[in-house]
Coordinates of all heavy atoms in Angstrom, one line a residue:
H372 N 116.1 -149.9 -252.4 CA 116.6 -150.3 -251.1 C 116.6 -151.8 -250.9 O 115.6 -152.5 -251.2 CB 115.7 -149.7 -250.0 CG 116.2 -149.8 -248.6 ND1 115.4 -150.1 -247.5 CD2 117.5 -149.7 -248.1 CE1 116.2 -150.2 -246.4 NE2 117.4 -149.9 -246.7
E373 N 117.8 -152.4 -250.6 CA 117.9 -153.8 -250.6 C 117.5 -154.5 -251.9 O 116.7 -155.5 -251.8 CB 117.2 -154.4 -249.4 CG 117.6 -153.8 -248.0 CD 119.1 -154.2 -247.7 OE1 119.4 -155.4 -248.0 OE2 119.8 -153.4 -247.2
I405 N 116.3 -143.6 -239.4 CA 115.1 -143.6 -240.3 C 115.1 -144.9 -241.1 O 116.0 -145.2 -241.8 CB 115.2 -142.4 -241.2 CG1 115.3 -141.1 -240.4 CG2 114.0 -142.3 -242.2 CD1 115.5 -139.8 -241.2
K406 N 114.0 -145.7 -240.9 CA 113.9 -147.0 -241.5 C 112.8 -147.0 -242.6 O 111.9 -146.2 -242.5 CB 113.5 -148.0 -240.4 CG 114.6 -148.2 -239.3 CD 114.2 -149.2 -238.3 CE 115.3 -149.5 -237.3 NZ 114.9 -150.5 -236.3
N407 N 113.0 -147.9 -243.4 CA 112.0 -148.3 -244.4 C 110.9 -149.1 -243.8 O 111.1 -150.1 -243.2 CB 112.6 -149.1 -245.5 CG 111.7 -149.4 -246.7 OD1 110.5 -149.3 -246.6 ND2 112.2 -149.8 -247.9
P408 N 109.7 -148.5 -243.7 CA 108.6 -149.2 -243.0 C 108.2 -150.6 -243.6 O 107.5 -151.4 -242.9 CB 107.4 -148.2 -243.0 CG 107.7 -147.4 -244.3 CD 109.2 -147.3 -244.4
Y409 N 108.6 -150.8 -244.8 CA 108.1 -152.0 -245.5 C 109.1 -153.2 -245.2 O 108.7 -154.4 -245.3 CB 108.1 -151.8 -247.0 CG 107.1 -150.8 -247.5 CD1 107.4 -149.6 -247.8 CD2 105.8 -151.2 -247.5 CE1 106.5 -148.6 -248.2 CE2 104.7 -150.3 -247.8 CZ 105.1 -149.0 -248.2 OH 104.2 -148.1 -248.6
N410 N 110.3 -152.9 -244.7 CA 111.2 -154.0 -244.4 C 111.9 -153.8 -243.0 O 112.7 -154.6 -242.6 CB 112.3 -154.2 -245.5 CG 113.1 -153.0 -245.7 OD1 113.2 -152.1 -245.0 ND2 113.8 -153.0 -246.9
N411 N 111.6 -152.7 -242.4 CA 112.1 -152.3 -241.1 C 113.6 -152.2 -241.0 O 114.2 -152.5 -240.0 CB 111.6 -153.3 -240.0 CG 111.6 -152.7 -238.6 OD1 111.4 -151.5 -238.4 ND2 111.9 -153.5 -237.6
L412 N 114.2 -151.9 -242.1 CA 115.7 -151.7 -242.2 C 116.1 -150.3 -242.4 O 115.4 -149.6 -243.1 CB 116.3 -152.6 -243.3 CG 116.1 -154.1 -243.2 CD1 116.7 -154.8 -244.5 CD2 116.9 -154.6 -242.0
P413 N 117.1 -149.8 -241.8 CA 117.5 -148.4 -241.9 C 117.9 -148.0 -243.4 O 118.5 -148.9 -244.1 CB 118.7 -148.3 -241.0 CG 118.7 -149.4 -240.0 CD 118.0 -150.5 -240.8
F414 N 117.4 -146.9 -243.7 CA 117.9 -146.4 -245.1 C 119.4 -146.1 -245.1 O 119.9 -145.8 -244.1 CB 117.2 -145.1 -245.4 CG 115.7 -145.2 -245.8 CD1 114.7 -144.6 -245.1 CD2 115.4 -146.0 -246.9 CE1 113.4 -144.8 -245.5 CE2 114.1 -146.1 -247.3 CZ 113.1 -145.5 -246.6

Side-chain angles (χ1 to χ4, degrees):
H372 189 222
E373 298 297 320
I405 301 174
K406 295 182 178 181
N407 183 340
Y409 295 104
N410 57 20
N411 201 34
L412 295 175
F414 284 119

